[in-house]
Amino acid sequence: MVGTLSGALVLPWIGRAVDRFGVRPVLACVALAFGAFLLLLAGAREFVSLTAAFVGARAMGQGGMTMIATTAVGIAVTRNRGTALGITSAAGAAGISLFPLLAERMIAAVGWRHAVLAEALLVWAIVLPIAWWGMRGVRNASATTDESGTAGPADAAAAWPLRAVMRTSMFWTISGAVACSGLVTTAVFFHQVALLGEQGLTPTQAAANFLPQTVAGLVASLAFSSATDRFSPKLLIAGSMAVHAATLALLPFVSPGISAMAYGATLGAAAAGARAVEAAAFPYYYGTATLGTLRGLTQSIAVASTAVGPVLLSVGRDATGSYQPVVLALALLPAVIAVAAPFARRPRGATAAPAAEPAEPEPVEPTEPALRR
């Protein structure tokens, strides 16, 4: 919990750096730092170094690199943005689900320290070339990067100040949905074996429930993200939160078999749907000039909520003697957001939907970067 909360504090600064300096240099710096913290983790031999390594890996890896990847897609893609973000989210979810299998084999063969060392080298070998060559031409309205990687001024007239954004109900609806999703799903995921054990599932059956969760999450990422190209994100937020609430409310009726698989699938779909809509909603409502800052703040809230959720469920279970009443109480959180989301006001002056055709630009003397773009 301490490591996750500490790592969450860094994300707003990373998001702000993306807006100021651009995607390429920030992604490269985050990748370098991520690899360095993994090296520290591989050599950790006491509490302080272990904690520092975990905080850094959590902030740079799960937080920073994930946020930068989806933010870069939000900036670079203007048509069918939701679909592109869905593919990015699905690829990330697949990696999170499949890579532990490879890591487990590596740990069994060479030990966990050498496995973490190999992971650090893998991050550098893959992400640094992507940052240097793959992110050319990715520019937002407040920071541009030329071929040499030098940041320069750009037209930021359409940028939303953070204070103005935080005064809109839509910002708190989106942030609340992501935080709620992170809190409740992480809580039940961390306690899944014991929680489903109360419903009669064996530890093996409870662990196997992660498979339908993963498959449904991949499908939901693509479906919800693509839907943002056609429907209002706030309605999709309401839908994902309603699925969250219904899934948790039906926990007392879960038993081994079809009902347990349905529980896992709907829970995975709701969690993935909330994350997918959040990634597309900010550029939809607020544009891309300050997208890094907005997503950095929201992801900080979301990551912090994942640290609190498992502890709340654990304390509640100790107090009541069962998981059911605590899970039913948690179901109220997404239910409230599902009801409130459709009434959130569209921010005044927000950008048009991603599917809309961009406005015809004023004729200008073409330059080499303009032709390339």
Side-chain angles (χ1 to χ4, degrees):
M1 183 181 69
V2 172
T4 302
L5 288 174
S6 301
L9 297 176
V10 182
L11 295 181
W13 299 97
I14 296 177
R16 190 173 298 177
V18 170
D19 289 335
R20 182 173 182 179
F21 302 108
V23 171
R24 290 177 66 194
V26 177
L27 179 59
C29 291
V30 167
L32 286 171
F34 186 26
F37 280 114
L38 289 176
L39 292 180
L40 178 62
L41 181 61
R45 297 188 180 277
E46 38 79 31
F47 179 77
V48 174
S49 59
L50 176 64
T51 302
F54 183 77
V55 169
R58 185 77 162 169
M60 299 296 115
Q62 186 213 25
M65 288 182 60
T66 302
M67 182 196 69
I68 292 173
T70 51
T71 301
V73 174
I75 293 172
V77 179
T78 56
R79 300 184 63 183
N80 298 320
R81 177 184 284 139
T83 301
L85 287 168
I87 295 172
T88 305
S89 300
I96 291 173
S97 301
L98 299 176
F99 191 79
L101 301 176
L102 174 62
E104 189 276 333
R105 291 178 178 270
M106 188 180 301
I107 291 171
V110 300
W112 72 267
R113 293 185 185 275
H114 289 90
V116 174
L117 175 62
E119 289 175 354
L121 299 177
L122 189 64
V123 168
W124 287 341
I126 294 178
V127 181
L128 290 179
I130 290 176
W132 187 253
W133 287 291
M135 293 294 178
R136 289 186 175 183
V138 179
R139 301 174 177 85
N140 58 7
S142 58
T144 59
T145 306
D146 59 21
E147 287 288 332
S148 63
T150 303
D155 180 17
W160 279 77
L162 182 58
R163 291 183 178 179
V165 172
M166 295 181 68
R167 286 196 294 265
T168 64
S169 59
M170 189 62 67
F171 171 80
W172 293 108
T173 299
I174 298 170
S175 300
V178 176
C180 176
S181 176
L183 188 150
V184 299
T185 55
T186 307
V188 296
F189 285 169
F190 266 60
H191 293 270
Q192 180 156 296
V193 172
L195 188 152
L196 294 181
E198 287 189 354
Q199 303 303 122
L201 277 71
T202 66
T204 300
Q205 291 172 329
N209 202 259
F210 281 112
L211 179 59
Q213 289 171 7
T214 301
V215 174
L218 292 175
V219 175
S221 291
L222 293 171
F224 273 88
S225 295
S226 299
T228 60
D229 292 327
R230 299 170 179 82
F231 305 102
S232 173
K234 68 179 182 180
L235 299 181
L236 299 175
I237 289 175
S240 67
M241 291 294 101
V243 175
H244 259 307
T247 301
L248 297 178
L250 292 175
L251 177 64
F253 304 99
V254 172
S255 60
I258 298 298
S259 62
M261 294 182 62
Y263 163 83
T266 53
L267 189 64
R275 292 192 298 269
V277 176
E278 178 268 339
F282 277 125
Y284 182 100
Y285 288 118
Y286 301 105
T288 61
T290 56
L291 183 58
T293 300
L294 297 181
R295 298 207 66 242
L297 179 59
T298 305
Q299 290 302 302
S300 178
I301 296 172
V303 172
S305 72
T306 66
V308 176
V311 178
L312 286 178
L313 187 56
S314 180
V315 172
R317 196 272 179 193
D318 288 344
T320 62
S322 173
Y323 284 108
Q324 282 193 16
V326 189
V327 171
L328 292 177
L330 289 178
L332 296 175
L333 296 176
V336 170
I337 297 177
V339 173
F343 299 98
R345 293 184 178 181
R346 181 186 179 98
R348 182 178 299 177
T351 57
E357 288 291 336
E360 187 69 23
E362 293 291 334
V364 295
E365 184 68 22
T367 61
E368 192 277 331
L371 291 175
R372 184 176 66 254
R373 185 173 180 182

